[in-house]
Amino acid sequence: MSIAKVIEITAESVESFEDAIRSGIEEANKSVRNVQGAWVKEHKVVVNDGRISAFRVDMKVTFVVD
């Protein structure tokens, strides 16, 4: 039997939503092991002077506990 845990993280990128998701998963993987998946809850953008300056995602990351 496996037990999974879920943490919530926010990640940001100046490139794209996809890059924000990728970097968020990579950073989460540095502090927890056995990352199995993620649910992207929200997409947000930061706007400065009428232009998008950053892409943000809120995610729930699931990992299996040893």
Side-chain angles (χ1 to χ4, degrees):
M1 181 169 110
S2 296
I3 297 175
K5 188 169 183 174
V6 178
I7 57 173
E8 191 163 343
I9 65 170
T10 300
E12 181 176 291
S13 169
V14 296
E15 305 280 323
S16 66
F17 287 119
E18 184 177 336
D19 190 53
I21 294 166
R22 185 176 293 111
S23 65
I25 294 296
E26 288 172 0
E27 286 298 314
N29 209 39
K30 290 179 182 178
S31 60
V32 296
R33 293 188 309 273
N34 303 321
V35 172
Q36 299 294 307
W39 171 49
V40 180
K41 288 179 29 176
E42 292 186 28
H43 292 77
K44 302 175 188 174
V45 293
V46 177
V47 178
N48 289 319
D49 296 324
R51 295 189 175 268
I52 295 174
S53 61
F55 299 86
R56 288 186 185 154
V57 292
D58 292 332
M59 299 185 284
K60 287 193 174 194
V61 178
T62 305
F63 61 97
V64 175
V65 178
D66 290 335

